[in-house]
Amino acid sequence: MRLHEYQAKEVFSDAGIPTPDSALAQSVDEAVEAAEDIGYPVAVKAQVHVGGRGKAGGIKLAENREEAEDAADSILGMDLKGYTVEKLLVEAAVDFTDELYVGVTMDRGEGKPVAMVSSKGGVNIEEVAEEDPDAIAREHVDPAFGMHPYQARKAVYDAGVDREVALDAASVLTTLYDLWEDKDASDAEINPLMVTADDEVVAADAVLNIDGDALFRHPDLAEMEDEAAEDELEAKANDYGFDYVRLDGNVGIIGNGAGLVMTTLDLVDHYGGSPANFLDIGGGAKAERVTNALDMVFSDENVDSVVFNIFGGITRGDEVAKGINEALESLDEIPKPVVVRLAGTNAEEGMEILNTDLVQVEATLEDAVQRAVKNAQEVEQ
């Protein structure tokens, strides 16, 4: 579960991390009133679950009442990367001299939490990691003992943070790790952690994503869940009973079994494509279930092609093929090319049944993925 910035800042502030004075607003009048109470200049910030809000016009600075009114009026109701802005955070603008990044997440390769610090804050940290990985200092933490104070200090000094604010930055990092652990978080980040002219640090942004399976331990956080902000396709997946994760690629993936779907994702990437989703339809592939899966994938505007990877077990391959045929035949139009690979029980019978006027059939998973990647590439050209 992802918290909005204003919610994460509330959690951070309660834990002792410095944050700017702020107020939540859901109308232009409320935003102007909040700005007047806080005092100018202020930042008016869209509260939606997307990154890059500033570049997309979702964050504006206001020096006076008129600018605050204009900012709130332009941001409220805007479509920001597929989300409609319904809430604003109005907060005191920070007069800063430097921007840092601090974050805690799980390094699955190492099997340990990792605390990270960078002196290149205020920009996309993924870009920093790719272009200049040495600019991010990392400290792996033994979860049995938690983060030792010396580890926080080492990460801060290794990142080249000025000595005047190094201890304060280390304190913020330590608190952030404690929150990450205590709240069962998957990610906790501050980007940027601003350094003021008075050598103080202030969390100008806040990210706190909670493991949904642990929410029963945190009823206070569970109450913060914003169902209205949930991704439309992920909400639809819940209704259909699918395991679904939306990604940013253009090759739609449908499979029955998490391992099978993960393998397909890896192969799409291996053959030069980019996965658009993880979609596990689970056991069985009757027409209704296949239709629902296709409805989801076809509804994703980023998808340019689809690959079906089905392994017949308890559900036979010929039954799966009939389900795919019925699903596609029920559509007035097939908007994107669909590639199917069947394996397992009665797979050969299923391959013969598939309507090749509606789908492209491949005998192996590798061939199916390569065909789907090629289909997507042809759309882009």
Side-chain angles (χ1 to χ4, degrees):
M1 184 192 82
R2 302 174 66 181
L3 298 186
H4 284 294
E5 177 191 0
Y6 76 91
Q7 296 169 324
K9 279 184 173 173
E10 180 181 334
V11 176
F12 288 3
S13 179
D14 289 344
I17 295 176
T19 60
D21 292 338
S22 62
L24 187 66
Q26 294 182 268
S27 69
V28 174
D29 289 343
E30 287 181 5
V32 172
E33 183 180 352
E36 297 283 324
D37 290 342
I38 293 169
Y40 297 101
V42 297
V44 182
K45 310 170 79 173
Q47 295 300 284
V48 289
H49 292 312
V50 297
R53 290 172 297 165
K55 293 181 180 179
I59 299 177
K60 296 181 182 294
L61 292 175
E63 298 283 348
N64 52 52
R65 182 186 182 92
E66 182 178 356
E67 291 183 5
E69 185 173 354
D70 289 343
D73 185 58
S74 64
I75 297 175
L76 275 173
M78 76 180 297
D79 183 288
L80 199 60
K81 298 183 179 181
Y83 293 86
T84 301
V85 179
E86 298 179 350
K87 298 176 182 178
L88 300 173
L89 180 65
V90 181
E91 68 178 17
V94 179
D95 184 13
F96 65 95
T97 59
D98 200 3
E99 295 177 291
L100 310 176
Y101 166 88
V102 294
V104 180
T105 190
M106 176 62 72
D107 185 338
R108 302 192 183 281
E110 294 291 329
K112 293 181 179 179
V114 59
M116 299 171 289
V117 182
S118 177
S119 58
K120 293 187 175 183
V123 297
N124 190 322
I125 197 64
E126 286 79 9
E127 293 179 5
V128 175
E130 182 176 344
E131 297 172 4
D132 188 9
D134 292 337
I136 303 175
R138 298 172 174 83
E139 278 292 313
H140 287 91
V141 180
D142 187 335
F145 299 99
M147 175 177 281
H148 296 292
Y150 81 86
Q151 290 182 293
R153 293 194 298 269
K154 182 176 184 300
V156 167
Y157 285 122
D158 286 349
V161 176
D162 290 342
R163 289 183 174 273
E164 289 78 5
V165 295
L167 291 181
D168 286 342
S171 176
V172 169
L173 182 61
T174 300
T175 303
L176 197 65
Y177 177 84
D178 291 340
L179 283 172
W180 180 87
E181 183 179 53
D182 294 342
K183 305 297 185 183
D184 290 302
S186 54
D187 303 287
E189 295 180 331
I190 301 173
N191 188 25
L193 179 67
M194 287 183 169
V195 179
T196 71
D198 297 327
D199 291 330
E200 296 179 348
V201 293
V202 180
D205 195 12
V207 172
L208 188 62
N209 299 329
I210 309 299
D211 184 343
D213 291 333
L215 282 176
F216 71 94
R217 290 201 289 256
H218 307 285
D220 56 329
L221 297 178
E223 291 178 355
M224 295 182 179
E225 186 169 13
D226 186 355
E227 294 182 359
E230 186 177 9
D231 182 276
E232 181 179 344
L233 288 177
E234 292 182 356
K236 186 179 290 188
N238 288 334
D239 292 339
Y240 288 152
F242 296 151
D243 289 327
Y244 174 85
V245 178
R246 192 175 191 178
L247 304 174
D248 56 5
N250 64 346
V251 179
I253 297 169
I254 302 173
N256 62 334
L260 203 64
V261 178
M262 287 301 298
T263 299
T264 313
L265 262 74
D266 289 342
L267 282 174
V268 168
D269 182 71
H270 175 74
Y271 287 118
S274 181
N277 64 270
F278 171 103
L279 176 52
D280 175 14
I281 62 177
K286 301 292 186 181
E288 181 181 2
R289 203 158 180 81
V290 173
T291 300
N292 291 341
L294 286 170
D295 173 51
M296 288 193 58
V297 176
F298 287 161
S299 296
D300 188 341
E301 295 180 356
N302 293 329
V303 171
D304 292 324
S305 72
V306 180
V307 57
F308 249 109
N309 184 15
I310 301 294
F311 185 87
I314 297 175
T315 302
R316 303 193 315 268
D318 53 340
E319 292 181 345
V320 173
K322 290 177 182 177
I324 293 174
N325 285 344
E326 291 178 23
L328 293 174
E329 289 167 0
S330 69
L331 301 175
D332 294 332
E333 179 184 3
I334 301 175
K336 293 144 189 179
V338 179
V339 184
V340 178
R341 173 262 189 176
L342 285 177
T345 307
N346 286 9
E348 293 183 4
E349 292 86 343
M351 297 288 267
E352 293 176 359
I353 291 173
L354 284 169
N355 186 342
T356 53
D357 291 333
L358 303 176
V359 299
Q360 300 168 349
V361 179
E362 294 292 348
T364 69
L365 176 57
E366 290 81 0
D367 290 342
V369 169
Q370 289 183 77
R371 169 81 68 100
V373 170
K374 182 179 179 181
N375 289 341
Q377 292 171 343
E378 289 176 349
V379 172
E380 289 184 335
Q381 292 175 354

